Amino acid sequence: MANFRTHLTVAAAASTVLAACGVYAKLFGLTTGVLCAIIGTIGGLLPDIDLDHSASAKRGFFLGSLITSMLIVILYANAYRQNELILDSLILWGISFIIIRFVIIETFSRLTVHRGVVHSVPYMAIFGLLVAHGAFYGLKLTAFVSWVFGIFLFLGALIHLALDEIYSVNALGLKLKKSAGTAFKFFEIKKPLHYAALYTVMIGLFFTAPPYQDAWRVIKRLIA
């Protein structure tokens, strides 16, 4: 598998390039582009949320928790304007950081096995959909921007999974390592119920997600 620094560097570079292309194509503004680059970078670290024994990963998740909570506060401040905004923002930042770092990440680290179902495409799709939900319903952002944030997180996570698969190939000996096929996966025969549950949740989140028509039109235009 690729190391933490490689995941961080590649995800940051790829997300920044994609965000810059979006800004250049006038799909969204500069502020949204910067946030997309950050979200994509966080997505590039997300699949290792089930890794609890790496010192670099722990430092990275601590930093990621700080950045994510700051993003939530920034987006909240942009969506709501009131007299006690500073106090509310500080409270929101503290609560967000504690929940992300010491509840979500810690729980995943303790209850999951590295390279298990968390290290899969449907699981990362669920995280992307959750970001879209949070941005749209929680922070009151537009449906298009909410989908863009979710897509960037998902793409960052896919980059992580792809890197792990690439590093599972011994290029010199042209052989596959034992870790081959354990990162970029859609299904595991040994865990049918786990993946059935994942796809059920994913489909459910898709149907309750923000309207996707605007984002889909942009994607079709880019593909065409």
Side-chain angles (χ1 to χ4, degrees), residues 24-102:
Y24 179 79
K26 298 182 179 180
L27 300 180
F28 40 74
L30 180 60
T31 301
T32 301
V34 172
L35 294 175
C36 284
I38 296 173
I39 292 171
T41 302
I42 293 173
L45 306 178
L46 193 58
D48 276 347
I49 195 173
D50 57 3
L51 186 63
D52 59 356
H53 61 271
S54 170
S56 57
K58 290 181 179 179
R59 289 193 295 269
F61 288 136
F62 181 84
L63 180 61
S65 300
L66 284 175
I67 295 174
T68 303
S69 57
M70 289 176 62
L71 284 177
I72 292 174
V73 170
I74 291 171
L75 294 171
Y76 168 81
N78 186 60
Y80 297 94
R81 301 190 181 282
Q82 46 188 303
N83 294 331
E84 299 181 357
L85 183 62
I86 295 178
L87 177 60
D88 290 350
S89 298
L90 288 174
I91 294 173
L92 179 62
W93 177 84
I95 294 174
S96 299
F97 175 77
I98 292 172
I99 291 176
I100 293 170
R101 179 62 188 93
F102 297 105

Side-chain angles (χ1 to χ4, degrees), residues 3-199:
N3 59 35
F4 183 84
R5 180 177 296 180
T6 301
H7 283 307
L8 177 63
T9 303
V10 175
S15 299
T16 301
V17 170
L18 288 174
C21 290
V23 174
Y24 179 79
K26 298 182 179 180
L27 300 180
F28 40 74
L30 180 60
T31 301
T32 301
V34 172
L35 294 175
C36 284
I38 296 173
I39 292 171
T41 302
I42 293 173
L45 306 178
L46 193 58
D48 276 347
I49 195 173
D50 57 3
L51 186 63
D52 59 356
H53 61 271
S54 170
S56 57
K58 290 181 179 179
R59 289 193 295 269
F61 288 136
F62 181 84
L63 180 61
S65 300
L66 284 175
I67 295 174
T68 303
S69 57
M70 289 176 62
L71 284 177
I72 292 174
V73 170
I74 291 171
L75 294 171
Y76 168 81
N78 186 60
Y80 297 94
R81 301 190 181 282
Q82 46 188 303
N83 294 331
E84 299 181 357
L85 183 62
I86 295 178
L87 177 60
D88 290 350
S89 298
L90 288 174
I91 294 173
L92 179 62
W93 177 84
I95 294 174
S96 299
F97 175 77
I98 292 172
I99 291 176
I100 293 170
R101 179 62 188 93
F102 297 105
V103 177
I104 298 177
I105 293 179
E106 193 66 26
T107 300
F108 269 88
S109 296
R110 293 183 180 277
L111 298 181
T112 56
V113 178
H114 189 50
R115 289 295 184 94
V117 292
V118 175
H119 230 84
S120 66
V121 175
Y123 218 113
M124 294 302 108
I126 289 174
F127 274 114
L129 287 166
L130 287 174
V131 167
H133 276 74
F136 185 73
Y137 295 109
L139 299 174
K140 307 301 180 183
L141 302 181
T142 65
F144 176 74
V145 171
S146 299
W147 272 107
V148 168
F149 285 168
I151 290 171
F152 263 81
L153 186 88
F154 179 58
L155 290 177
L158 289 186
I159 291 171
H160 179 114
L161 300 182
L163 278 174
D164 278 348
E165 285 297 343
I166 292 172
Y167 272 72
S168 69
V169 178
N170 184 344
L172 296 178
L174 295 179
K175 296 180 180 179
L176 295 178
K177 300 178 182 178
K178 291 183 179 179
S179 59
T182 62
F184 204 104
K185 55 183 181 288
F186 292 85
F187 187 78
E188 291 180 82
I189 297 177
K190 296 180 179 180
K191 300 177 181 179
L193 295 180
H194 292 77
Y195 281 88
L198 284 182
Y199 281 107

